[in-house]
């Protein structure tokens, strides 16, 4: 089995390789192909992975090969040629960052200079990220369709919801978006309830719980967890000690989540505490993007020089600092160790891949179409959320098996949540239109109508700032 990782020089790629090599999900992968346009980053990450592989072998943690063959590391192939990388792949993980960490700093600063939220995926920064990323994502989708038509694409390129929606126009249901924040929330709730709420009962095979999570990527809510017919969320909301153990409740405010009647995805912080978020970000010496650009720049430079320490140890130290400072501007305390070590997107991706490859069912929160590809003309009542367009990519609980990804029904959406979702995706779809057609008017409208902007004047200034700061955006809109 061949796995291709696009953005293969990315900082978190060794996490994926470790999960594959150790057979964390019981699946054997024979070949891992890393693709990146930056040869230097590829060399550094390859050195980390080779060191990690040697360590895993020495510790006896490498999974046995297929058909009873002795334990062996997956063959590692490194290339800057996209078609070569995906040819013959069974699965393609897409985790590209167009413009690198330096482009993220532009996304943040253009917005902050206008008094708006400067964050990677939320607000105008997320729209700028999508505008320069969607053309590349579509090129990837077309290449996969031609060179590996049977492959499944697992997208964790941000902003994952709208990027996945764009890729679905080429690949249909064979592209699925993932994010590790919803499952992190669900697991925290499961720990408090003493069960794995997305598992099946080993005795009966029935789900342990009925979980209702719904939203868009980085805009979602856990509304109910029913065990033996009883919804356990109200009890958690009424218990201050329980809410103290849920990172999202501490972050957004225990009184608010109790009043709202649902446990929110952590990224709701930026919608509910926008002014505070802007003040906290501007009060720091650097934005998150600037911090990561320097931190990872230092890491890659040191890795190229091969000095001071092993590439693997250098990577591990940098990784822990990165995870511990995640969303630091939103917190009044350091992240708790159990939240830092809460899994990650590599585990979500491998579980998804394993369920499809082996047919062993898994229940997972994924980014999928409101209705299956090719069924867009079906009645609205057959959609997951009838009020939203058929092609909208939603983040909901799904069952994954050998036949693919099967979204589970959700309870009717409250008007306020539906309104937030519709307003955000409307803005993002205008940005997708601009990315496909080069329309400046569509881009302007997308920036202007985002819920955290709501101003034609600011929308125009954002567009002009991002055109000036991003060559990719300027070139795209010059062709429109």
């Amino acid at each position: 089995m061949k796995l291709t990782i696009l953005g293969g020089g990315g900082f978190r790629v060794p996490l994926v390789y470790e999960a594959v090599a150790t057979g964390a999900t019981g699946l054997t992968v024979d070949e891992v192909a890393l693709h990146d346009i930056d040869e230097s980053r590829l060399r550094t990450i390859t050195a980390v992975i080779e060191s990690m592989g040697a360590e895993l072998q020495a510790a006896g943690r490498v999974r046995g090969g297929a058909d009873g063959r002795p334990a062996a590391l997956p063959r590692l192939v490194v290339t800057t040629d996209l078609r070569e990388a995906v040819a013959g792949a069974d699965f393609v993980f897409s985790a590209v960052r167009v413009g690198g960490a330096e482009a993220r700093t532009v996304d943040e600063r253009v917005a902050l200079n206008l008094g708006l939220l400067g964050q990677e995926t939320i607000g105008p920064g997320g729209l700028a990220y999508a505008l320069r990323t969607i053309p590349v994502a579509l090129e990837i989708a077309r290449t996969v369709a031609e060179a590996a038509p049977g492959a499944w694409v697992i997208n964790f390129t941000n902003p994952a919801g709208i990027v996945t929606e764009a890729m679905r126009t080429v690949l249909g249901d064979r592209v699925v978006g993932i994010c590790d924040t919803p499952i992190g929330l669900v697991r925290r709730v499961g720990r408090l309830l003493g069960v794995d709420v997305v598992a099946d009962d080993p005795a009966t095979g029935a789900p342990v719980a009925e979980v209702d999570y719904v939203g868009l990527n980085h805009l979602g809510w856990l509304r109910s967890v029913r065990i033996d017919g009883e919804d356990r969320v109200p009890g958690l909301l009424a218990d201050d000690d329980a809410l103290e153990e849920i990172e999202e409740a501490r972050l957004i405010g225990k009184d608010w989540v109790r009043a709202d009647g649902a446990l929110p995805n952590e990224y709701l912080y930026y919608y509910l505490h926008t002014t505070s978020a802007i003040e906290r970000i501007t009060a720091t010496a650097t934005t998150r993007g600037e911090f990561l650009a320097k931190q990872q720049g230092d890491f890659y430079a040191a890795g190229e020089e091969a000095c001071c320490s092993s590439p693997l140890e250098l990577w591990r130290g940098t990784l822990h600092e990165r995870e511990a400072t995640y969303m630091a501007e939103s917190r009044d305390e350091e992240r708790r160790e159990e939240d830092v070590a809460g899994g990650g997107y590599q585990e979500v991706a491998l579980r998804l891949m394993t369920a499809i490859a082996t047919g062993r069912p898994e229940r997972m929160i994924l980014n999928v179409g409101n209705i299956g590809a090719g069924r867009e003309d079906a009645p609205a009542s057959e959609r997951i959320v009838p009020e939203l367009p058929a092609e909208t990519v939603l983040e909901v609980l799904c069952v994954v098996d050998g036949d693919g990804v099967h979204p589970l029904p959700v309870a009717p959406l409250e008007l306020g949540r539906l309104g937030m979702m519709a307003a955000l995706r409307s803005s993002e779809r205008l940005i997708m239109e601009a990315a496909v057609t080069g329309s400046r008017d569509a881009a302007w409208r997308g920036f202007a109508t985002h819920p955290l902007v709501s101003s034609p004047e600011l929308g125009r200034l954002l567009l002009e700032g991002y055109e000036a700061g991003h060559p990719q955006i300027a070139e795209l809109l010059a062709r429109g």
Side-chain angles (χ1 to χ4, degrees):
M1 180 172 292
K2 177 180 177 180
L3 166 64
T4 297
I5 304 175
L6 307 180
F11 182 76
R12 293 199 290 179
V13 167
L15 293 170
V16 179
Y17 186 84
E18 180 178 30
V20 169
T22 57
T25 59
L27 185 70
T28 299
V29 175
D30 303 298
E31 178 180 324
V32 175
L34 304 184
H35 169 270
D36 205 295
I37 61 173
D38 189 323
E39 293 184 75
S40 173
R41 289 166 63 93
L42 272 176
R43 282 194 298 271
T44 299
I45 292 301
T46 299
V48 172
I49 287 174
E50 288 174 345
S51 180
M52 175 183 284
E55 182 179 277
L56 292 173
Q57 281 188 313
R61 294 182 58 205
V62 178
R63 183 173 175 81
D67 304 321
R69 295 196 302 270
L73 291 167
R75 185 166 70 95
L76 190 63
V77 176
V78 180
T79 179
T80 58
D81 184 285
L82 176 61
R83 185 171 292 271
E84 177 187 349
V86 302
D90 298 284
F91 292 90
V92 176
F93 290 0
S94 181
V96 301
R97 180 178 288 279
V98 178
E102 292 73 20
R104 175 176 177 173
T105 68
V106 176
D107 294 343
E108 294 168 337
R109 284 296 177 192
V110 168
L112 289 171
N113 289 343
L114 294 171
L116 299 168
L117 180 70
Q119 202 277 339
E120 179 186 23
T121 64
I122 304 301
L127 297 184
Y129 193 3
L131 185 55
R132 68 176 190 274
T133 300
I134 286 172
V136 175
L138 289 172
E139 178 189 357
I140 288 169
R142 288 188 287 266
T143 304
V144 171
E146 294 169 2
W152 283 85
V153 175
I154 301 174
N155 176 59
F156 23 92
T157 295
N158 275 321
I162 193 61
V163 170
T164 301
E165 192 165 315
M167 296 181 80
R168 278 178 59 86
T169 64
V170 178
L171 296 169
D173 293 335
R174 295 191 78 84
V175 59
V176 182
I178 69 167
C179 182
D180 56 353
T181 55
I183 199 63
L185 167 60
V186 170
R187 280 183 167 167
R188 280 183 270 279
V189 170
R191 284 201 300 265
L192 286 170
L193 299 178
V195 295
D196 183 349
V197 297
V198 292
D200 290 336
D201 186 323
T204 67
V208 170
E210 297 176 26
V211 174
D212 186 314
Y213 181 97
V214 65
L216 305 179
N217 182 238
H218 291 180
L219 183 76
W221 301 266
L222 177 60
R223 298 185 295 171
S224 69
V225 176
R226 293 189 175 276
I227 299 176
D228 296 328
E230 178 189 357
D231 185 4
R232 304 292 293 275
V233 168
L236 295 178
L237 295 177
D239 186 341
D240 268 350
D241 290 338
L243 289 182
E244 183 63 25
E245 298 303 313
I246 299 175
E247 187 176 26
E248 292 80 358
R250 298 196 309 271
L251 181 67
I252 289 169
K254 291 181 281 187
D255 288 345
W256 173 259
V257 299
R258 185 176 293 119
D260 193 43
L263 291 164
N265 184 297
E266 62 193 345
Y267 282 88
L268 264 293
Y269 169 83
Y270 295 109
Y271 291 95
L272 297 170
H273 301 287
T274 312
T275 300
S276 175
I278 294 170
E279 290 173 349
R280 286 170 176 257
I281 293 169
T282 55
T284 60
T286 61
T287 66
R288 176 67 171 171
E290 289 163 347
F291 166 78
L292 289 177
K294 182 181 187 308
Q295 187 211 42
Q296 293 188 27
D298 290 347
F299 162 76
Y300 284 107
E304 248 328 76
E305 295 170 7
C307 68
C308 309
S309 64
S310 77
L312 180 58
E313 291 309 310
L314 181 64
W315 173 80
R316 282 178 173 152
T318 307
L319 175 68
H320 189 273
E321 181 185 29
R322 172 189 170 122
E323 298 302 316
T325 56
Y326 173 66
M327 287 182 70
E329 73 279 357
S330 64
R331 308 177 195 281
D332 294 318
E333 60 179 16
E334 292 186 1
R335 290 191 82 190
R336 298 181 183 182
E337 198 63 33
E338 66 268 24
D339 295 325
V340 174
Y345 78 102
Q346 74 281 358
E347 181 183 337
V348 180
L350 263 293
R351 286 177 55 214
L352 170 59
M353 178 175 159
T354 302
I356 291 173
T358 66
R360 187 170 64 242
E362 283 267 14
R363 293 197 304 153
M364 310 177 68
I365 296 172
L366 301 168
N367 287 267
V368 295
N370 197 10
I371 199 167
R375 302 193 62 241
E376 289 82 1
D377 293 334
S381 60
E382 297 183 17
R383 301 173 192 167
I384 304 168
V385 177
E387 299 86 352
L388 293 176
E391 64 272 17
T392 304
V393 164
L394 305 173
E395 195 165 70
V396 294
L397 186 67
C398 305
V399 172
V400 186
D401 59 23
D403 294 323
V405 178
H406 315 285
L408 297 176
V410 300
L413 266 173
E414 304 89 339
L415 187 60
R417 303 193 210 286
L418 178 63
M420 289 182 71
M421 291 167 60
L424 174 60
R425 187 46 51 89
S426 173
S427 168
E428 290 179 328
R429 285 188 65 85
L430 285 164
I431 292 296
M432 183 167 73
E433 178 186 339
V436 172
T437 67
S439 168
R440 294 191 84 258
D441 282 349
W444 176 26
R445 290 171 60 210
F447 284 114
T449 59
H450 190 283
L452 299 182
V453 179
S454 299
S455 164
E457 293 79 16
L458 289 172
R460 187 185 296 279
L461 292 172
L462 285 164
L463 177 57
E464 292 171 352
Y466 289 128
E467 278 187 289
H470 290 306
Q472 303 97 332
I473 291 178
E475 181 182 350
L476 170 70
L477 297 181
R479 296 198 303 263

